[in-house]
Amino acid sequence: MSEIRTRFAPSPTGNLHVGGAHTALFAWLFARHEGGKFILRIEDTDEVRSTEESLAAIYNGLKWLEIDWDEGPDVGGPFGPYIQSERLNTYHEQIDRLIESGRAYRCFCTAEELDERREIMRARGIPPRYDGRCADLSEEQIQMLLAEGKPYCVRFRTLQTGATVIQDLVRGEVSFDNDLIGDFVIRKTSGYPTYHMAVVVDDYLMGITHVIRAEEHLANTPSHVQILDALGFERPIYAHLPLILGPDKTKLSKRHGAVNLLDYRDQGFLPEAMRNFLAIIGWSAGAEQEILDHDELIAKFTLEGVSKSPGVFDLEKAAWLNGEYLKAADAEYLTGVLLPLLREEGLFEEDASEERMQWLIAVVDLMKERTRLLTDFVTWGRYFFTEEFVYDNKARQKWLSREDVPDRLDALAEELAAVPEWTVDAIEQAIRGLAEELEVGAGQIIHPCRAAVTGQTIGPSLFHLIELLPQETVVKRLHRAAELGRAGEMQPVGSSD
RNA sequence: GGCCCCAUGGUCUAGUGGUUAGGACUCCGCUCUUUCAAGGCGGUGGCACGGGUUCGAUUCCCGUUGGGGCUACCA
């Protein structure tokens, strides 16, 4: 077989949807795995809803996931243009061929008339499809209506007997009775082709070998195949992918929360984790490996591994996966990703010195072990960057509100203030030393100390965390917590947590 | 309504005409540690149902149920 060519053909009518990203990813993975080409084509035949911003959103979403395309509106290619609104003549040509051969005809029915008749059919329990009123107008009638300047659309004359059988790589053979498909519109009154017409013409003319798209298009495929056959165009190989569902098992939509891919970036997901997660919805390498990086995904992806059943978008698992990526990530790289977020929160200066950057990297390195989202660095690691952190209720309840704690915190502050060299070992010695001196378990010092310094009961290794804070800051925080404790300001607040 | 697709724990899935039905997330327990939202160990939980075919069906066929998709001058 000649070169494999797949495409992603979104309509620029909103953000890049998670479902769209899923489809794009699979088509891209297949092309890359096969050493073929991946084409981006913009299907803006909905003149009303298409927008420029949306086009940019699609680019950004794909780029975020590191899905690159060999041909497309911005990079060009031998089969351009890759924007359907710039290909209108091409569609007109093919539609005219269809009209000439009798496989398509002009329809002068108005939208209102159509609606009305559809309602009647529905009321009478008849499947609502075009009744063929304009299917057999005489040449004279047509010329007359045209002369009157009556607006018209063009309909495809579908087969009325037999069945259209399609071979689908994931679903096998699927058959549709032809008499169920009514004559559908292929060119709107506006002159724009409909999706069904444009998709078929472009896939053929652009040499697409494998049409990989979501299952919602499966039922449209017989219509596409009929146009292809009527035009004398070879059919591509079809592969209809399982849909992504929300927790309630309906097609993932806005009701379920974020469906805009880039919202997940803002929620703290790493692109490589999101790509990995999307890849394992509806596909499996067969082995018991779920964490696959860019190259492994390409190496292992096959259409045979695609499942037929739809999959729920499980945010919990996505977050877990993200955590795995965070743990494995290089601290310096992570710091780079995190920087904009920290600055946005006003937690880190714009003009940081090299020394400060090294410090940040150390903080990230310490924190990344127990984070799941990038935003966790901000919410759980706030105390690294500012004195404006809160003492959570667990910390208040378990330690900070205890009567014997303030004295210990002050004592510890003295010990730590006296540490000559601010190292992990020295810090640990000071803390454990005080415990011995007071004849209490080390935990009786460690826990209150963590609570006072971080406001939390959990977090990274205390000694390491303290080392990353300036000595005087730690001392100050210990005294402050002691004072607040004595003043009765450390009682739990609010309802819970 | 009609047509089409789908069906392994709550979720993502591996798998087979004979398996103790495997893994991952979640949840629970234990454990380590200065803490856990980290690590280690363990556990609860599944082949939707009914008929066939077969010596034997989770696996093959049919039906039922359930879910989803399509049924536009949206894509």
Side-chain angles (χ1 to χ4, degrees), chain A residues 118-128:
Chain A
R118 206 171 3 243
E119 272 319 304
I120 294 171
M121 285 188 267
R122 203 165 273 147
R124 285 161 58 185
I126 305 166

Side-chain angles (χ1 to χ4, degrees), chain A residues 304 371 404:
Chain A
E304 289 72 45
T371 48
D404 54 351

Side-chain angles (χ1 to χ4, degrees), chain A residues 112-179:
Chain A
E112 295 72 42
E113 291 166 352
L114 258 17
D115 283 345
E116 206 173 294
R117 279 186 257 154
R118 206 171 3 243
E119 272 319 304
I120 294 171
M121 285 188 267
R122 203 165 273 147
R124 285 161 58 185
I126 305 166
R129 55 197 193 86
Y130 184 63
D131 58 12
R133 188 164 300 203
C134 297
D136 299 301
L137 295 178
S138 69
E139 192 54 35
E140 291 72 42
Q141 286 172 299
I142 293 170
Q143 289 311 323
M144 218 175 71
L145 288 161
L146 287 177
E148 281 174 27
K150 199 143 194 276
Y152 65 92
C153 66
V154 177
R155 284 181 187 273
F156 181 72
R157 197 185 300 275
T158 56
L159 267 20
Q160 287 308 302
T161 57
T164 297
V165 177
I166 67 160
Q167 300 295 335
D168 188 280
L169 242 32
V170 348
R171 273 145 231 288
E173 188 176 290
V174 185
S175 173
F176 297 83
D177 284 345
N178 287 334
D179 61 4

Side-chain angles (χ1 to χ4, degrees), chain A residues 19 50 83 143 150 321 475:
Chain A
S50 296
I83 295 187
Q143 289 311 323
K150 199 143 194 276
L321 230 194
V475 170

Side-chain angles (χ1 to χ4, degrees), chain A residues 440-482:
Chain A
V440 297
Q444 293 304 307
I445 303 297
I446 288 170
H447 296 310
C449 176
R450 177 189 294 282
V453 173
T454 72
Q456 298 165 9
T457 54
I458 56 149
S461 156
L462 181 69
F463 314 126
H464 288 84
L465 155 186
I466 285 184
E467 187 208 17
L468 289 175
L469 289 167
Q471 188 168 14
E472 57 279 15
T473 298
V474 173
V475 170
K476 219 166 57 197
R477 285 186 190 178
L478 289 169
H479 283 313
R480 181 176 69 171

Side-chain angles (χ1 to χ4, degrees), chain A residues 359-372:
Chain A
W359 170 81
L360 218 209
I361 291 169
V363 168
V364 169
D365 200 33
L366 188 63
M367 289 280 299
K368 74 189 177 82
E369 281 308 312
R370 54 202 74 213
T371 48
R372 300 175 97 200

Side-chain angles (χ1 to χ4, degrees), chain A residues 198-245:
Chain A
V199 76
V200 152
V201 168
D202 285 346
D203 282 342
Y204 177 76
L205 262 22
M206 292 182 182
I208 303 303
T209 58
H210 294 69
V211 170
I212 298 172
R213 54 174 29 160
E215 199 208 304
E216 54 193 323
H217 292 295
L218 183 60
N220 291 142
T221 307
S223 301
H224 298 173
V225 160
Q226 285 195 27
I227 298 178
L228 244 16
D229 291 353
L231 248 16
F233 290 169
E234 197 189 335
R235 302 179 185 184
I237 293 166
Y238 291 102
H240 287 92
L241 308 173
L243 255 25
I244 295 185
L245 310 179

